Amino acid sequence: MSPAHFDPAADFADPRVAANILAAGAVLWRPAADGTLEIALVHRPKYDDWSLPKGKLDPGETPVVTAVREVAEETGLNSRLGRYLGHVTYPVTGHRKLKRVDYWAARVLDGAFESNPEVDALDWRRLDTVMDALSYPMDRSIVRNFLRQPAETATLLLVRHAKAGRSDRFAGDDDLRPLEKAGRAQARALVPNLLAFGAAEILSAPPDRCVQTVTPLAEKLGVDVELEPLFSESGYAAAPDAARKRARDLVSADTVRVISSQGKVIPDLLEWWAADDGVSLPPARNRKGSVWVLSFHDGRLIAADHLDRALTPADLPRA
């Protein structure tokens, strides 16, 4: 697999075959005063170890949401997720169970550490000392994955609209076909997952089902959904070069933008982008309600992570 990406969609296809305890965490980082990087390690008195912040999924949570919550609970720091870094699986001492932990890169936003029952110390380590300070080889493997690409990235979130029923069963203009009940649930479930990556501005193809997919997020953020006809199937087909340029122009180091689009747009747009910037895409079904997390450095795509089943809470069936 290319170091430019990992594939959460494939990894999450059957996690319980290998693991029956699911957890998530992050490589939490910040720029140091001299411009270098520092990574946060936490000390757990129960185990007397130094590790990356992580914890088990709560009922109804996704790994994405868990990663942000656990970082905040263990370190007191709020963070924004970036690239997916892979997972580790290991046996739980004293149990006939396997635990799987998925990790993302996470940049510190704000907050302050306070000692708590799980973590009594936090240590910011420079890259030349972090490996020796970690207690476990598995954590070192995740840090190595983190170091394969630049830490400072811009994020663009590309969403396929949620479930809207079959077009042949809808009488009227197909652009007016709304989300069905399951699709409205998907749209609500997307909100905390997209916020975990710092979603702040929203654009959508004009069809109602695309707009409705990101309406709960817009309401949460208190922002408007900007309509962009170039991201509709008809608009993209008529002017693919203009649509691709528009998408690239939306990449920003300062603002995380969300694009809600359609099934005949997203695969072609991504294939073009990956070929143009030399990135290998993971296999993905691009199912309705799924998300591509696109990471950029100096305007170039460096990682494309597809979140599909990774957005499904652990206690829900994975259809």
Side-chain angles (χ1 to χ4, degrees):
M1 179 178 290
S2 164
H5 73 262
F6 294 89
D7 183 9
D11 285 345
F12 272 87
D14 56 355
R16 291 172 192 74
V17 172
N20 43 25
I21 299 176
L22 301 180
V27 174
L28 184 66
W29 68 274
R30 70 181 185 184
D34 62 0
T36 60
L37 292 184
E38 295 178 329
I39 292 175
L41 305 186
V42 295
H43 182 262
R44 301 181 299 174
K46 180 178 179 180
Y47 304 103
D48 190 22
D49 62 7
W50 287 95
S51 64
L52 302 172
K54 62 181 179 298
K56 292 187 292 187
L57 274 63
D58 281 347
E61 268 190 341
T62 67
V64 168
V65 172
T66 299
V68 173
R69 176 183 58 78
E70 283 291 337
V71 165
E73 290 181 359
E74 292 196 351
T75 71
L77 302 172
N78 297 311
S79 62
R80 181 180 65 232
L81 300 187
R83 293 182 294 118
Y84 178 67
L85 302 176
H87 73 272
V88 298
T89 304
Y90 55 91
V92 179
T93 304
H95 298 275
R96 297 183 62 184
K97 294 181 178 181
L98 289 177
K99 185 174 184 178
R100 171 189 168 120
V101 188
D102 287 85
Y103 288 95
W104 280 264
R107 177 165 185 167
V108 172
L109 298 177
D110 53 38
F113 174 73
E114 290 186 9
S115 179
N116 57 76
E118 290 189 44
V119 174
D120 63 353
L122 182 147
D123 189 16
W124 286 100
R125 286 279 181 162
R126 294 177 181 270
L127 300 183
D128 58 350
T129 65
V130 66
M131 292 299 190
D132 289 339
L134 283 164
S135 298
Y136 305 112
M138 290 179 293
D139 284 353
R140 295 188 198 96
S141 71
I142 294 297
V143 172
R144 281 193 289 270
N145 290 344
F146 170 76
L147 296 174
R148 287 188 177 121
Q149 297 285 1
E152 193 76 61
T153 58
T155 300
L156 186 69
L157 302 168
L158 186 55
V159 180
R160 186 182 178 190
H161 71 74
K163 295 179 179 179
R166 290 173 51 174
S167 59
D168 59 1
R169 295 180 179 176
F170 181 75
D173 185 345
D174 191 57
D175 280 357
L176 302 179
R177 177 160 49 97
L179 296 183
E180 61 186 17
K181 182 178 179 180
R184 294 193 296 274
Q186 284 181 310
R188 292 191 297 270
L190 281 171
V191 174
N193 290 284
L194 296 173
L195 290 176
F197 292 95
E201 295 182 4
I202 309 169
L203 296 91
S204 175
D208 283 0
R209 55 194 179 275
C210 295
V211 177
Q212 291 171 6
T213 297
V214 288
T215 294
L217 175 64
E219 292 173 346
K220 180 70 174 179
L221 290 170
V223 302
D224 294 328
V225 178
E226 178 183 342
L227 298 184
E228 178 49 84
L230 286 170
F231 298 141
S232 68
E233 290 179 346
S234 59
Y236 187 89
D241 289 341
R244 293 164 181 167
K245 182 180 184 304
R246 175 67 168 138
R248 195 180 277 280
D249 288 345
L250 290 171
V251 177
S252 169
D254 302 317
T255 304
V256 177
R257 297 188 171 102
V258 178
I259 299 173
S260 179
S261 188
Q262 297 180 269
K264 293 182 180 178
V265 175
I266 294 172
D268 187 83
L269 175 62
L270 285 172
E271 288 173 9
W272 163 79
W273 219 328
D276 207 43
D277 288 352
V279 172
S280 297
L281 295 175
R285 292 176 59 185
N286 289 301
R287 293 192 289 192
K288 293 175 181 177
S290 64
V291 177
W292 282 91
V293 181
L294 306 181
S295 299
F296 301 83
H297 182 72
D298 290 339
R300 184 178 68 87
L301 180 67
I302 63 168
D305 305 321
H306 186 242
L307 300 182
D308 181 353
R309 297 179 186 273
L311 298 179
T312 303
D315 57 345
L316 295 180
R318 297 170 184 265

